[in-house]
Amino acid sequence: MTDIIDQPMATPRPRLTVVGTGYLGATHAVSMASLGYEVLGVDVDQAKIDRLTRGEVPFHEPGLPEMLDEALASGNLRFTTSFDEAAEFGDVHFVCVGTPQLHGSHAANLAYVEAAFTAIAQRVRKSTLIVGKSTVPVGTAERLADMVAAAAPDPDLVEVAWNPEFLREGYAVQDTLHPDRLVFGVSSERAETSLRAAFEPVLEAGTPLVVADMKTAELVKVAANSFLATKISYINAMAEICEVTGADVNLLASALSYDDRIGARFLKPGLGFGGGCLPKDIRAFMHRAEELGVGHAVEFLHEVDEINARRRRRTVDLVRELAGGDLRGMRIACLGAAFKPNSDDIRDAPALDVADMLRAQAADVVVYDPEAMGNAREAYPQLDYAPTFAECVKGADVVVLLTEWARFREADPEMMGELVRHRAMVDGRHALDADAYRSAGWEYRALGRPAQPQTVRLVEDVKDQVAAMA
Ligand code: UDX
């Protein structure tokens, strides 16, 4: 990180605002301030602005609280709710507000993006670039450019560009300061120059840059997330085949991953994807493609979504199987609530969906998560929560691992075994050492893996045979 941060700036630094201080915006604002830019974070939520100003990050992201403290202390970063102040301050405005899925539709709700662009445009009195970072349906940037031109007192002073964000929760700072690539969607050289100045240290560090039109830039984000979702559902579809054939999806994934063309990343089978991006983005993409009359082109994403939903139902089936075929009154310890480890985000979390399905089948469900308990309680008040990991597994008939936090992965099966009523484990994330659990007397099951580890034994048998032949 210091390699980028220590570099002097060659061109005059634009002053940056970041509109929307949620996950994406807060990380962007703090990261840009750490690179030496003067940054003003803007939000309509006074409480959020107050917390950030006090140095409190309103969500769990490793490393960010320390960086926020440093940025505030350096004087490079401030926060406000005033759009007047923002328009006067900023040369480049990054719009980072949410585009959640609309209720009752697969479409993205663009109200917050439109409001942010308009609020800045109406107040522009100097040469300004408004850059969208939010994930939007292709064609939105052009429409926003028209809205901005209509709202601005002098349309020649203001321009729109698109700069999609690829940050992963849990690695947000790293992904912002050291992205795999930068994508600038621009319609003029002036916009490209401003964006280059706004990312100078990141570009100087050798980050690949793709300069594109705004439509391509918008598409890159949904295309990337659709690809990742497809890759996850692909291996989970293979898990379904493994389940009926007795093959082992873990071994299959590992054999596939040695093919460089396929690679190991996002090929981890299990409970599937959730979170604020992948599920919503593939649905909004399908919706937009249908609007454009090319719904058939991404029809496969319906299947990707459906495979993903089936994994959750199938996990419930597996827990029921281990509980003896009937969940009524069975104590089920659910390990994890967040949609993935190192995050307290529970949006579209497979873990909570499974916990709630188990509860709906009259199981006595208790949930524990190291970071996401507050958010989980708020969204799923009907579930019971344990104050500690140990309390959660105490007396359990079945334990089900739903989010692969390190402390669950590293737990000692023998010690955990002392606490439960029955040593029965469903590993929803293929994250545990099956042999260690089985040796400690657990019945261990994972989607797409045989109930008994025949495949591994066969591999070892073959090894023995080969050794005997030598
Ligand atoms: C994602 C994209 O990775 C990021 O580039 C984009 O900008 C925002 O959306 P994020 O939502 O933080 O990031 O989560 P990610 O790490 O991609 O994981 C998404 C989900 O897929 C999680 O629920 C995870 O558990 C699941 N997953 C991931 C798998 O089930 N298997 C895998 O192999 C990888």
Side-chain angles (χ1 to χ4, degrees):
M1 238 173 259
T2 39
D3 48 342
I4 293 189
I5 293 169
D6 292 343
Q7 277 170 25
M9 301 255 191
T11 43
R13 299 171 183 190
R15 297 210 290 184
L16 313 178
T17 82
V18 177
V19 184
T21 57
Y23 198 83
L24 167 61
T27 308
H28 189 61
V30 171
S31 300
M32 297 317 269
S34 81
L35 293 177
Y37 289 91
E38 281 182 72
V39 183
L40 184 63
V42 192
D43 206 292
V44 292
D45 183 342
Q46 183 71 54
K48 205 184 267 179
I49 290 298
D50 290 344
R51 288 186 70 181
L52 286 162
T53 304
R54 285 199 302 270
E56 283 172 35
V57 177
F59 48 84
H60 176 76
E61 179 62 36
L64 196 59
E66 297 80 357
M67 284 182 70
L68 172 62
D69 280 345
E70 279 172 31
L72 290 170
S74 73
N76 281 345
L77 180 61
R78 289 184 300 115
F79 293 96
T80 184
T81 53
S82 164
F83 278 91
D84 287 334
E85 193 185 343
E88 199 187 318
F89 175 89
D91 303 304
V92 178
H93 303 271
F94 288 102
V95 174
C96 297
V97 297
T99 51
Q101 191 174 324
L102 273 175
H103 289 300
S105 162
H106 277 177
N109 179 356
L110 298 175
Y112 308 112
V113 177
E114 287 167 6
F117 272 79
T118 313
I120 297 289
Q122 283 166 342
R123 294 167 170 84
V124 159
R125 299 275 183 276
K126 59 175 179 173
S127 183
T128 296
L129 184 67
I130 314 183
V131 186
K133 276 181 111 43
S134 313
T135 304
V136 292
V138 57
T140 304
E142 253 175 31
R143 201 166 52 74
L144 288 168
D146 291 342
M147 281 176 63
V148 161
D154 180 352
D156 289 340
L157 285 179
V158 58
E159 215 184 312
V160 168
W162 219 262
N163 166 232
E165 186 57 63
F166 304 99
L167 63 84
R168 296 158 301 164
E169 299 195 12
Y171 302 89
V173 174
Q174 159 78 12
D175 286 353
T176 306
L177 291 175
H178 298 270
D180 291 339
R181 75 301 210 181
L182 283 172
V183 178
F184 295 168
V186 291
S187 31
S188 77
E189 255 179 54
R190 185 174 71 160
E192 183 184 334
T193 307
S194 297
L195 272 171
R196 281 183 182 275
F199 283 102
E200 188 180 281
V202 182
L203 290 169
E204 289 287 314
T207 304
L209 168 66
V210 178
V211 180
D213 56 281
M214 292 203 287
K215 285 178 183 160
T216 306
E218 292 168 311
L219 263 179
V220 176
K221 177 62 186 279
V222 281
N225 278 352
S226 298
F227 187 85
L228 295 173
T230 303
K231 209 172 169 195
I232 297 168
S233 276
Y234 176 81
I235 197 63
N236 283 333
M238 294 305 107
E240 293 189 19
I241 306 291
C242 289
E243 275 153 38
V244 294
T245 54
D248 186 325
V249 73
N250 245 9
L251 296 176
L252 178 69
S254 122
L256 290 177
S257 73
Y258 286 111
D259 187 328
D260 283 344
R261 296 167 301 174
I262 298 173
R265 298 178 72 186
F266 279 74
L267 206 61
K268 192 147 183 41
L271 194 43
F273 58 83
C277 291
L278 261 45
K280 146 182 104 71
D281 288 356
I282 62 167
R283 292 172 199 151
F285 195 17
M286 286 187 272
H287 188 270
R288 183 65 181 138
E290 263 160 42
E291 278 178 355
L292 294 166
V294 285
H296 55 273
V298 289
E299 214 163 302
F300 67 95
L301 291 176
H302 283 290
E303 208 46 55
V304 166
D305 208 7
E306 189 42 41
I307 292 166
N308 199 49
R310 276 205 298 272
R311 291 293 80 188
R312 300 179 185 192
R313 298 197 290 269
R314 184 70 192 112
T315 301
V316 173
D317 292 345
L318 210 50
V319 175
R320 194 178 44 244
E321 220 177 294
L322 253 66
D326 189 350
L327 280 164
R328 277 175 299 179
M330 287 290 166
R331 187 165 175 84
I332 312 297
C334 292
L335 299 182
F339 84 102
K340 67 173 190 182
N342 302 320
S343 167
D344 64 353
D345 194 342
I346 50 113
R347 285 176 293 171
D348 209 334
L352 287 167
D353 204 7
V354 167
D356 204 36
M357 282 192 261
L358 290 165
R359 188 197 62 90
Q361 295 190 25
D364 171 14
V365 173
V366 59
V367 178
Y368 173 73
D369 187 285
E371 292 292 340
M373 298 285 268
N375 288 340
R377 262 202 195 96
E378 213 172 290
Y380 288 78
Q382 68 275 29
L383 294 172
D384 284 337
Y385 296 89
T388 62
F389 180 10
E391 286 291 322
C392 182
V393 296
K394 206 155 132 195
D397 291 297
V398 182
V399 180
V400 53
L401 177 74
L402 298 169
T403 313
E404 67 277 33
W405 286 95
R407 51 188 301 197
F408 300 150
R409 280 191 276 112
E410 289 157 10
D412 178 0
E414 191 51 61
M415 277 166 71
M416 212 200 301
E418 301 284 311
L419 296 170
V420 297
R421 180 137 55 139
H422 292 119
R423 295 190 178 200
M425 170 66 76
V426 172
D427 180 0
R429 292 293 184 178
H430 292 250
L432 304 175
D433 181 343
D435 290 342
Y437 273 83
R438 286 185 173 130
S439 312
W442 288 74
E443 189 174 354
Y444 170 94
R445 298 292 299 277
L447 293 174
R449 300 186 76 178
Q452 295 306 320
Q454 296 147 330
T455 326
V456 175
R457 283 209 194 108
L458 277 179
V459 170
E460 280 163 5
D461 287 351
V462 172
K463 269 196 222 148
D464 289 342
Q465 282 168 23
V466 172
M469 281 188 298

